[in-house]
Amino acid sequence: MATENKNLSQYDKTSVPDARAFRFGIVVSEWNDTVTEGLFSGAEATLLDCGVLPENIVRWNVPGSFELTFGCKKMLETQDVDAVIAIGSLIRGETSHFDVVCNAAAQGIKDLNVKYDCPVIFCVLTDDTLQQAIDRSGGKHGNKGTEAAIAAIKMASLS
Ligand code: DLZ
């Protein structure tokens, strides 16, 4: 799972399915917005680079990662999307709150994938420090948003 020695921004466009006909939802948590805006930029740029039309990218914001499940659920129910990307950044504090919200976000998004016939991609960073998050949202370890966009295209093309 470690990305310490891997740059997350590298992808081979020839191995990515044609994305021109797809429509994507992106739900962005406002907590640690330096990080989540970096992830969003990486995801959006990658979708556009792979041929997705700007009008086929729908962005919604939610207050925190805990709210990603509901935001994605509403996106699935009201927008005609082929895949949704859930973007968040959780940074460990001094209490167990971090673990509670991490588990809730992961479980909630997993449940959406089971319930709905549309993939929801987990682009939630769970880091010990802000620097680790910055390094993975457009920093020295690349951008996990890019990886999420490629996953979204690949999953959309399954249906
Ligand atoms: C409360 C809280 C804390 C302490 N830390 C984070 C965090 O690091 N990342 C994040 O996305 N959200 C955090 N939140 C907010 C919760 O996700 C949620 O928005 C609130 O508990 C309200 O339901």
Short mmCIF file of all heavy atoms in Angstrom, two decimals, residues 32 34-35 88-94 98 125-137 140-141:
data_model
loop_
_atom_site.label_atom_id
_atom_site.label_comp_id
_atom_site.label_asym_id
_atom_site.label_seq_id
_atom_site.Cartn_x
_atom_site.Cartn_y
_atom_site.Cartn_z
N ASN A 32 -9.27 20.18 5.13
CA ASN A 32 -7.90 20.11 4.57
C ASN A 32 -7.95 20.44 3.08
O ASN A 32 -7.47 19.68 2.23
CB ASN A 32 -7.28 18.73 4.81
CG ASN A 32 -7.27 18.36 6.29
OD1 ASN A 32 -6.96 19.17 7.14
ND2 ASN A 32 -7.64 17.12 6.60
N THR A 34 -6.44 22.46 1.14
CA THR A 34 -5.20 22.55 0.34
C THR A 34 -4.97 21.20 -0.33
O THR A 34 -4.60 21.13 -1.52
CB THR A 34 -3.98 22.83 1.25
OG1 THR A 34 -4.32 23.86 2.15
CG2 THR A 34 -2.75 23.18 0.47
N VAL A 35 -5.21 20.15 0.43
CA VAL A 35 -4.99 18.80 -0.07
C VAL A 35 -6.11 18.41 -1.04
O VAL A 35 -5.84 17.92 -2.15
CB VAL A 35 -4.92 17.79 1.10
CG1 VAL A 35 -4.80 16.36 0.59
CG2 VAL A 35 -3.79 18.15 2.04
N GLY A 88 -11.32 13.18 -0.36
CA GLY A 88 -11.20 13.67 1.01
C GLY A 88 -9.77 13.56 1.51
O GLY A 88 -8.92 12.91 0.90
N SER A 89 -9.52 14.21 2.64
CA SER A 89 -8.20 14.13 3.28
C SER A 89 -8.40 14.10 4.78
O SER A 89 -8.91 15.06 5.36
CB SER A 89 -7.35 15.35 2.89
OG SER A 89 -6.24 15.47 3.75
N LEU A 90 -8.02 12.99 5.38
CA LEU A 90 -8.10 12.84 6.84
C LEU A 90 -6.69 12.85 7.40
O LEU A 90 -5.83 12.10 6.92
CB LEU A 90 -8.82 11.55 7.18
CG LEU A 90 -10.34 11.65 7.01
CD1 LEU A 90 -10.94 10.36 6.52
CD2 LEU A 90 -10.98 12.08 8.32
N ILE A 91 -6.47 13.70 8.39
CA ILE A 91 -5.14 13.78 8.99
C ILE A 91 -5.26 13.44 10.47
O ILE A 91 -6.08 14.03 11.18
CB ILE A 91 -4.52 15.17 8.74
CG1 ILE A 91 -4.38 15.36 7.23
CG2 ILE A 91 -3.17 15.30 9.46
CD1 ILE A 91 -3.83 16.66 6.79
N ARG A 92 -4.44 12.48 10.90
CA ARG A 92 -4.55 11.94 12.26
C ARG A 92 -4.34 13.03 13.30
O ARG A 92 -3.43 13.84 13.20
CB ARG A 92 -3.50 10.84 12.45
CG ARG A 92 -3.66 10.06 13.73
CD ARG A 92 -2.54 9.04 13.90
NE ARG A 92 -2.62 7.96 12.93
CZ ARG A 92 -3.40 6.88 13.06
NH1 ARG A 92 -4.20 6.78 14.10
NH2 ARG A 92 -3.40 5.93 12.15
N GLY A 93 -5.23 13.05 14.28
CA GLY A 93 -5.08 13.98 15.40
C GLY A 93 -4.70 13.22 16.66
O GLY A 93 -4.13 12.13 16.59
N GLU A 94 -5.04 13.79 17.81
CA GLU A 94 -4.62 13.17 19.07
C GLU A 94 -5.64 12.16 19.61
O GLU A 94 -5.36 11.45 20.57
CB GLU A 94 -4.37 14.26 20.11
CG GLU A 94 -3.13 15.08 19.77
CD GLU A 94 -2.91 16.23 20.73
OE1 GLU A 94 -3.74 16.42 21.64
OE2 GLU A 94 -1.91 16.94 20.54
N PHE A 98 -10.08 10.28 14.16
CA PHE A 98 -9.52 9.98 12.83
C PHE A 98 -9.97 8.58 12.37
O PHE A 98 -10.47 8.41 11.26
CB PHE A 98 -8.00 10.06 12.93
CG PHE A 98 -7.22 9.56 11.74
CD1 PHE A 98 -6.96 10.37 10.64
CD2 PHE A 98 -6.70 8.26 11.73
CE1 PHE A 98 -6.22 9.91 9.56
CE2 PHE A 98 -5.96 7.79 10.66
CZ PHE A 98 -5.73 8.63 9.58
N LEU A 125 -7.40 10.43 1.21
CA LEU A 125 -6.08 10.23 1.81
C LEU A 125 -6.22 10.13 3.32
O LEU A 125 -6.99 10.90 3.92
CB LEU A 125 -5.15 11.39 1.46
CG LEU A 125 -4.82 11.63 0.00
CD1 LEU A 125 -3.77 12.73 -0.12
CD2 LEU A 125 -4.34 10.37 -0.68
N THR A 126 -5.52 9.19 3.93
CA THR A 126 -5.54 9.03 5.39
C THR A 126 -4.08 9.07 5.85
O THR A 126 -3.37 8.08 5.73
CB THR A 126 -6.21 7.70 5.78
OG1 THR A 126 -5.53 6.62 5.15
CG2 THR A 126 -7.68 7.67 5.36
N ASP A 127 -3.67 10.23 6.32
CA ASP A 127 -2.24 10.45 6.62
C ASP A 127 -2.01 10.81 8.07
O ASP A 127 -2.90 11.32 8.76
CB ASP A 127 -1.70 11.58 5.72
CG ASP A 127 -1.73 11.18 4.25
OD1 ASP A 127 -0.99 10.27 3.88
OD2 ASP A 127 -2.51 11.78 3.49
N ASP A 128 -0.77 10.58 8.50
CA ASP A 128 -0.38 10.98 9.86
C ASP A 128 -0.08 12.47 9.94
O ASP A 128 -0.25 13.09 10.99
CB ASP A 128 0.85 10.18 10.31
CG ASP A 128 0.51 8.72 10.56
OD1 ASP A 128 -0.65 8.43 10.88
OD2 ASP A 128 1.41 7.87 10.41
N THR A 129 0.41 13.04 8.84
CA THR A 129 0.80 14.46 8.86
C THR A 129 0.29 15.16 7.60
O THR A 129 0.05 14.53 6.57
CB THR A 129 2.34 14.61 8.89
OG1 THR A 129 2.86 14.12 7.64
CG2 THR A 129 2.96 13.86 10.04
N LEU A 130 0.18 16.49 7.72
CA LEU A 130 -0.23 17.30 6.56
C LEU A 130 0.80 17.16 5.43
O LEU A 130 0.44 17.09 4.26
CB LEU A 130 -0.37 18.78 6.99
CG LEU A 130 -0.73 19.76 5.89
CD1 LEU A 130 -2.07 19.42 5.24
CD2 LEU A 130 -0.76 21.20 6.44
N GLN A 131 2.08 17.08 5.79
CA GLN A 131 3.12 16.97 4.76
C GLN A 131 2.95 15.69 3.92
O GLN A 131 3.10 15.72 2.70
CB GLN A 131 4.52 16.99 5.39
CG GLN A 131 5.64 17.12 4.37
CD GLN A 131 5.51 18.38 3.49
OE1 GLN A 131 5.38 19.48 4.00
NE2 GLN A 131 5.51 18.20 2.17
N GLN A 132 2.62 14.59 4.58
CA GLN A 132 2.38 13.34 3.83
C GLN A 132 1.24 13.53 2.83
O GLN A 132 1.29 13.02 1.71
CB GLN A 132 2.02 12.20 4.79
CG GLN A 132 3.19 11.69 5.61
CD GLN A 132 2.76 10.65 6.64
OE1 GLN A 132 1.60 10.62 7.06
NE2 GLN A 132 3.69 9.81 7.05
N ALA A 133 0.20 14.25 3.26
CA ALA A 133 -0.95 14.49 2.38
C ALA A 133 -0.57 15.39 1.21
O ALA A 133 -0.95 15.14 0.06
CB ALA A 133 -2.10 15.10 3.19
N ILE A 134 0.21 16.42 1.50
CA ILE A 134 0.65 17.35 0.44
C ILE A 134 1.51 16.59 -0.58
O ILE A 134 1.36 16.78 -1.79
CB ILE A 134 1.42 18.54 1.06
CG1 ILE A 134 0.43 19.45 1.81
CG2 ILE A 134 2.19 19.32 0.00
CD1 ILE A 134 1.08 20.50 2.69
N ASP A 135 2.37 15.70 -0.08
CA ASP A 135 3.26 14.93 -0.97
C ASP A 135 2.48 14.05 -1.95
O ASP A 135 2.99 13.68 -3.01
CB ASP A 135 4.18 14.02 -0.14
CG ASP A 135 5.23 14.80 0.63
OD1 ASP A 135 5.43 15.99 0.34
OD2 ASP A 135 5.84 14.20 1.55
N ARG A 136 1.23 13.69 -1.59
CA ARG A 136 0.43 12.77 -2.40
C ARG A 136 -0.73 13.45 -3.14
O ARG A 136 -1.57 12.79 -3.75
CB ARG A 136 -0.12 11.64 -1.50
CG ARG A 136 0.96 10.70 -1.03
CD ARG A 136 0.62 9.95 0.22
NE ARG A 136 1.70 9.01 0.59
CZ ARG A 136 2.85 9.38 1.17
NH1 ARG A 136 3.10 10.65 1.47
NH2 ARG A 136 3.77 8.47 1.45
N SER A 137 -0.77 14.77 -3.07
CA SER A 137 -1.88 15.49 -3.73
C SER A 137 -1.33 16.54 -4.69
O SER A 137 -1.86 17.62 -4.83
CB SER A 137 -2.77 16.15 -2.67
OG SER A 137 -2.00 16.99 -1.81
N LYS A 140 5.68 15.52 -4.05
CA LYS A 140 6.79 14.67 -4.53
C LYS A 140 6.38 13.22 -4.81
O LYS A 140 7.10 12.51 -5.52
CB LYS A 140 7.97 14.72 -3.56
CG LYS A 140 7.75 14.06 -2.23
CD LYS A 140 9.02 14.15 -1.39
CE LYS A 140 8.78 13.51 -0.03
NZ LYS A 140 9.90 13.64 0.87
N HIS A 141 5.27 12.78 -4.25
CA HIS A 141 4.80 11.42 -4.57
C HIS A 141 3.69 11.42 -5.61
O HIS A 141 2.98 10.42 -5.76
CB HIS A 141 4.35 10.69 -3.30
CG HIS A 141 5.47 10.40 -2.35
ND1 HIS A 141 6.66 9.85 -2.75
CD2 HIS A 141 5.59 10.60 -1.01
CE1 HIS A 141 7.46 9.73 -1.70
NE2 HIS A 141 6.83 10.17 -0.64
#
